[in-house]
Short mmCIF file of all heavy atoms in Angstrom, two decimals:
data_model
loop_
_atom_site.label_atom_id
_atom_site.label_comp_id
_atom_site.label_asym_id
_atom_site.label_seq_id
_atom_site.Cartn_x
_atom_site.Cartn_y
_atom_site.Cartn_z
N ARG A 23 -2.37 3.60 3.86
CA ARG A 23 -1.72 2.56 3.03
C ARG A 23 -2.76 1.78 2.23
O ARG A 23 -2.51 1.38 1.09
CB ARG A 23 -0.92 1.61 3.91
CG ARG A 23 0.38 2.21 4.43
CD ARG A 23 1.22 1.19 5.19
NE ARG A 23 2.45 1.79 5.66
CZ ARG A 23 3.57 1.87 4.94
NH1 ARG A 23 3.59 1.36 3.72
NH2 ARG A 23 4.65 2.45 5.42
N ALA A 24 -3.93 1.56 2.84
CA ALA A 24 -4.97 0.83 2.12
C ALA A 24 -5.50 1.63 0.94
O ALA A 24 -5.68 1.10 -0.16
CB ALA A 24 -6.11 0.49 3.09
N LEU A 25 -5.73 2.92 1.16
CA LEU A 25 -6.21 3.77 0.07
C LEU A 25 -5.15 3.88 -1.03
O LEU A 25 -5.47 3.86 -2.23
CB LEU A 25 -6.55 5.17 0.61
CG LEU A 25 -7.78 5.23 1.54
CD1 LEU A 25 -7.89 6.61 2.16
CD2 LEU A 25 -9.04 4.87 0.78
N ALA A 26 -3.88 4.00 -0.63
CA ALA A 26 -2.80 4.02 -1.62
C ALA A 26 -2.77 2.71 -2.40
O ALA A 26 -2.50 2.70 -3.61
CB ALA A 26 -1.46 4.26 -0.93
N GLY A 27 -3.06 1.60 -1.71
CA GLY A 27 -3.11 0.30 -2.39
C GLY A 27 -4.20 0.26 -3.44
O GLY A 27 -4.04 -0.34 -4.52
N MET A 28 -5.35 0.90 -3.15
CA MET A 28 -6.42 0.96 -4.15
C MET A 28 -5.99 1.80 -5.34
O MET A 28 -6.28 1.45 -6.50
CB MET A 28 -7.68 1.55 -3.50
CG MET A 28 -8.31 0.68 -2.43
SD MET A 28 -9.79 1.44 -1.70
CE MET A 28 -10.92 1.43 -3.10
N VAL A 29 -5.29 2.90 -5.08
CA VAL A 29 -4.80 3.74 -6.17
C VAL A 29 -3.83 2.95 -7.04
O VAL A 29 -3.89 3.01 -8.28
CB VAL A 29 -4.10 5.00 -5.61
CG1 VAL A 29 -3.44 5.80 -6.74
CG2 VAL A 29 -5.11 5.88 -4.86
N VAL A 30 -2.94 2.19 -6.40
CA VAL A 30 -1.99 1.37 -7.14
C VAL A 30 -2.73 0.39 -8.05
O VAL A 30 -2.39 0.23 -9.23
CB VAL A 30 -1.07 0.60 -6.18
CG1 VAL A 30 -0.30 -0.50 -6.92
CG2 VAL A 30 -0.09 1.54 -5.51
N SER A 31 -3.75 -0.28 -7.52
CA SER A 31 -4.51 -1.27 -8.31
C SER A 31 -5.12 -0.63 -9.55
O SER A 31 -5.15 -1.23 -10.63
CB SER A 31 -5.62 -1.89 -7.45
OG SER A 31 -5.06 -2.64 -6.39
N ASP A 32 -5.62 0.61 -9.40
CA ASP A 32 -6.22 1.29 -10.55
C ASP A 32 -5.15 1.72 -11.56
O ASP A 32 -5.32 1.55 -12.77
CB ASP A 32 -7.00 2.52 -10.08
CG ASP A 32 -8.30 2.15 -9.39
OD1 ASP A 32 -8.73 0.98 -9.55
OD2 ASP A 32 -8.88 3.00 -8.70
N LEU A 33 -4.04 2.26 -11.07
CA LEU A 33 -3.01 2.76 -11.99
C LEU A 33 -2.30 1.63 -12.72
O LEU A 33 -1.80 1.83 -13.83
CB LEU A 33 -1.99 3.62 -11.23
CG LEU A 33 -2.53 4.90 -10.58
CD1 LEU A 33 -1.39 5.72 -10.00
CD2 LEU A 33 -3.33 5.73 -11.59
N VAL A 34 -2.23 0.46 -12.10
CA VAL A 34 -1.61 -0.70 -12.76
C VAL A 34 -2.34 -1.04 -14.06
O VAL A 34 -1.74 -1.53 -15.02
CB VAL A 34 -1.61 -1.92 -11.81
CG1 VAL A 34 -1.35 -3.22 -12.57
CG2 VAL A 34 -0.55 -1.74 -10.73
N ALA A 35 -3.64 -0.74 -14.11
CA ALA A 35 -4.43 -1.05 -15.30
C ALA A 35 -4.24 -0.05 -16.43
O ALA A 35 -4.72 -0.26 -17.54
CB ALA A 35 -5.92 -1.12 -14.93
N VAL A 36 -3.51 1.04 -16.15
CA VAL A 36 -3.31 2.10 -17.15
C VAL A 36 -2.03 1.83 -17.95
O VAL A 36 -0.93 1.86 -17.39
CB VAL A 36 -3.22 3.48 -16.46
CG1 VAL A 36 -2.99 4.57 -17.50
CG2 VAL A 36 -4.50 3.76 -15.66
N PRO A 37 -2.14 1.56 -19.25
CA PRO A 37 -0.95 1.23 -20.05
C PRO A 37 0.11 2.32 -20.08
O PRO A 37 1.30 2.03 -20.23
CB PRO A 37 -1.54 1.02 -21.46
CG PRO A 37 -2.97 0.65 -21.22
CD PRO A 37 -3.38 1.46 -20.03
N ALA A 38 -0.29 3.57 -19.90
CA ALA A 38 0.67 4.68 -19.97
C ALA A 38 1.51 4.82 -18.72
O ALA A 38 2.40 5.67 -18.67
CB ALA A 38 -0.07 5.99 -20.24
N LEU A 39 1.23 4.00 -17.69
CA LEU A 39 1.94 4.12 -16.43
C LEU A 39 2.52 2.78 -16.01
O LEU A 39 1.90 1.73 -16.21
CB LEU A 39 1.01 4.64 -15.33
CG LEU A 39 0.38 6.02 -15.57
CD1 LEU A 39 -0.64 6.32 -14.48
CD2 LEU A 39 1.44 7.10 -15.62
N ASP A 40 3.69 2.82 -15.43
CA ASP A 40 4.36 1.63 -14.89
C ASP A 40 4.52 1.87 -13.38
O ASP A 40 5.29 2.74 -12.97
CB ASP A 40 5.72 1.44 -15.57
CG ASP A 40 6.42 0.18 -15.12
OD1 ASP A 40 5.76 -0.68 -14.50
OD2 ASP A 40 7.63 0.05 -15.38
N VAL A 41 3.80 1.11 -12.58
CA VAL A 41 3.73 1.39 -11.14
C VAL A 41 4.82 0.63 -10.38
O VAL A 41 5.03 -0.57 -10.60
CB VAL A 41 2.34 1.01 -10.58
CG1 VAL A 41 2.24 1.36 -9.10
CG2 VAL A 41 1.24 1.72 -11.37
N VAL A 42 5.50 1.33 -9.48
CA VAL A 42 6.55 0.75 -8.64
C VAL A 42 5.92 -0.22 -7.64
O VAL A 42 4.89 0.08 -7.04
CB VAL A 42 7.33 1.83 -7.89
CG1 VAL A 42 8.36 1.22 -6.93
CG2 VAL A 42 8.02 2.76 -8.88
N GLU A 43 6.54 -1.37 -7.44
CA GLU A 43 6.03 -2.35 -6.48
C GLU A 43 6.10 -1.82 -5.06
O GLU A 43 7.03 -1.11 -4.69
CB GLU A 43 6.85 -3.64 -6.58
CG GLU A 43 6.72 -4.36 -7.92
CD GLU A 43 7.59 -5.60 -7.98
OE1 GLU A 43 8.32 -5.87 -7.00
OE2 GLU A 43 7.54 -6.29 -9.00
N ARG A 44 5.10 -2.22 -4.25
CA ARG A 44 5.01 -1.73 -2.87
C ARG A 44 6.23 -2.12 -2.06
O ARG A 44 6.74 -1.32 -1.26
CB ARG A 44 3.75 -2.26 -2.20
CG ARG A 44 3.56 -1.74 -0.76
CD ARG A 44 2.39 -2.40 -0.06
NE ARG A 44 1.15 -2.14 -0.74
CZ ARG A 44 0.42 -3.07 -1.34
NH1 ARG A 44 0.83 -4.32 -1.37
NH2 ARG A 44 -0.72 -2.78 -1.93
N ASP A 45 6.73 -3.34 -2.22
CA ASP A 45 7.86 -3.81 -1.42
C ASP A 45 9.10 -2.95 -1.65
O ASP A 45 9.83 -2.63 -0.70
CB ASP A 45 8.18 -5.27 -1.73
CG ASP A 45 7.13 -6.22 -1.18
OD1 ASP A 45 6.31 -5.76 -0.36
OD2 ASP A 45 7.14 -7.40 -1.55
N ARG A 46 9.36 -2.58 -2.91
CA ARG A 46 10.51 -1.73 -3.21
C ARG A 46 10.36 -0.37 -2.56
O ARG A 46 11.32 0.19 -2.00
CB ARG A 46 10.65 -1.55 -4.73
CG ARG A 46 11.19 -2.74 -5.49
CD ARG A 46 11.26 -2.43 -6.96
NE ARG A 46 12.09 -1.24 -7.21
CZ ARG A 46 11.98 -0.49 -8.31
NH1 ARG A 46 11.09 -0.78 -9.24
NH2 ARG A 46 12.78 0.55 -8.49
N LEU A 47 9.16 0.18 -2.62
CA LEU A 47 8.92 1.50 -2.05
C LEU A 47 9.04 1.47 -0.53
O LEU A 47 9.67 2.34 0.07
CB LEU A 47 7.53 1.98 -2.46
CG LEU A 47 7.18 3.43 -2.13
CD1 LEU A 47 8.19 4.39 -2.77
CD2 LEU A 47 5.77 3.74 -2.60
N ASP A 48 8.45 0.45 0.11
CA ASP A 48 8.54 0.34 1.58
C ASP A 48 9.98 0.19 2.04
O ASP A 48 10.38 0.74 3.07
CB ASP A 48 7.71 -0.86 2.07
CG ASP A 48 6.22 -0.57 2.06
OD1 ASP A 48 5.84 0.61 1.96
OD2 ASP A 48 5.42 -1.52 2.16
N ALA A 49 10.77 -0.56 1.27
CA ALA A 49 12.17 -0.77 1.64
C ALA A 49 12.93 0.56 1.61
O ALA A 49 13.73 0.85 2.50
CB ALA A 49 12.83 -1.76 0.69
N LEU A 50 12.65 1.38 0.62
CA LEU A 50 13.33 2.68 0.53
C LEU A 50 12.86 3.61 1.63
O LEU A 50 13.66 4.32 2.25
CB LEU A 50 13.08 3.32 -0.84
CG LEU A 50 13.73 4.69 -1.04
CD1 LEU A 50 15.25 4.59 -0.92
CD2 LEU A 50 13.34 5.29 -2.38
N LEU A 51 11.55 3.64 1.91
CA LEU A 51 11.02 4.50 2.97
C LEU A 51 11.65 4.14 4.30
O LEU A 51 11.98 5.02 5.11
CB LEU A 51 9.50 4.37 3.05
CG LEU A 51 8.70 4.95 1.88
CD1 LEU A 51 7.23 4.62 2.02
CD2 LEU A 51 8.91 6.45 1.78
N ALA A 52 11.81 2.84 4.54
CA ALA A 52 12.43 2.41 5.79
C ALA A 52 13.90 2.80 5.83
O ALA A 52 14.44 3.22 6.85
CB ALA A 52 12.28 0.90 5.95
N GLU A 53 14.57 2.68 4.68
CA GLU A 53 16.00 2.97 4.61
C GLU A 53 16.29 4.43 4.91
O GLU A 53 17.26 4.77 5.59
CB GLU A 53 16.53 2.61 3.22
CG GLU A 53 18.02 2.85 3.04
CD GLU A 53 18.50 2.49 1.65
OE1 GLU A 53 17.81 1.69 0.98
OE2 GLU A 53 19.53 3.02 1.23
N ILE A 54 15.44 5.33 4.41
CA ILE A 54 15.69 6.76 4.63
C ILE A 54 14.83 7.29 5.77
O ILE A 54 14.66 8.50 5.94
CB ILE A 54 15.46 7.58 3.35
CG1 ILE A 54 14.01 7.44 2.86
CG2 ILE A 54 16.42 7.17 2.28
CD1 ILE A 54 13.73 8.25 1.60
N GLU A 55 14.27 6.35 6.55
CA GLU A 55 13.54 6.67 7.79
C GLU A 55 12.38 7.62 7.55
O GLU A 55 12.14 8.56 8.29
CB GLU A 55 14.50 7.26 8.83
CG GLU A 55 15.61 6.30 9.20
CD GLU A 55 16.54 6.88 10.27
OE1 GLU A 55 16.46 8.09 10.51
OE2 GLU A 55 17.31 6.11 10.84
N LEU A 56 11.60 7.32 6.49
CA LEU A 56 10.42 8.12 6.22
C LEU A 56 9.13 7.36 6.51
O LEU A 56 8.05 7.89 6.31
CB LEU A 56 10.40 8.57 4.75
CG LEU A 56 11.33 9.72 4.38
CD1 LEU A 56 11.26 10.00 2.89
CD2 LEU A 56 10.96 10.97 5.16
N GLY A 57 9.26 6.12 6.97
CA GLY A 57 8.07 5.31 7.21
C GLY A 57 7.13 5.90 8.23
O GLY A 57 5.92 5.70 8.18
N LYS A 58 7.67 6.63 9.22
CA LYS A 58 6.83 7.19 10.27
C LYS A 58 6.77 8.71 10.23
O LYS A 58 6.33 9.35 11.17
CB LYS A 58 7.35 6.74 11.64
CG LYS A 58 7.29 5.23 11.85
CD LYS A 58 7.77 4.84 13.23
CE LYS A 58 7.68 3.33 13.43
NZ LYS A 58 8.17 2.93 14.78
N THR A 59 7.23 9.29 9.14
CA THR A 59 7.20 10.74 9.01
C THR A 59 5.76 11.21 8.85
O THR A 59 4.99 10.63 8.09
CB THR A 59 8.02 11.18 7.77
OG1 THR A 59 9.37 10.75 7.95
CG2 THR A 59 7.99 12.68 7.61
N GLU A 60 5.39 12.26 9.58
CA GLU A 60 4.02 12.73 9.54
C GLU A 60 3.71 13.48 8.25
O GLU A 60 2.57 13.52 7.80
CB GLU A 60 3.75 13.63 10.75
CG GLU A 60 3.82 12.89 12.09
CD GLU A 60 3.49 13.80 13.25
OE1 GLU A 60 3.23 15.00 13.00
OE2 GLU A 60 3.50 13.32 14.39
N PHE A 61 4.70 14.13 7.65
CA PHE A 61 4.44 14.93 6.47
C PHE A 61 5.57 14.76 5.46
O PHE A 61 6.73 14.88 5.81
CB PHE A 61 4.30 16.41 6.85
CG PHE A 61 4.10 17.31 5.66
CD1 PHE A 61 2.88 17.36 5.02
CD2 PHE A 61 5.14 18.08 5.18
CE1 PHE A 61 2.69 18.19 3.92
CE2 PHE A 61 4.97 18.92 4.08
CZ PHE A 61 3.73 18.96 3.46
#
Side-chain angles (χ1 to χ4, degrees):
R23 286 186 180 274
L25 292 172
M28 293 180 66
V29 173
V30 167
S31 295
D32 287 344
L33 297 186
V34 164
V36 179
L39 300 173
D40 184 14
V41 183
V42 176
E43 295 178 358
R44 182 186 299 114
D45 288 347
R46 285 180 57 202
L47 189 57
D48 283 345
L50 179 61
L51 290 174
E53 181 180 338
I54 60 179
E55 300 181 347
L56 283 177
K58 297 182 180 179
T59 300
E60 294 182 359
F61 177 76

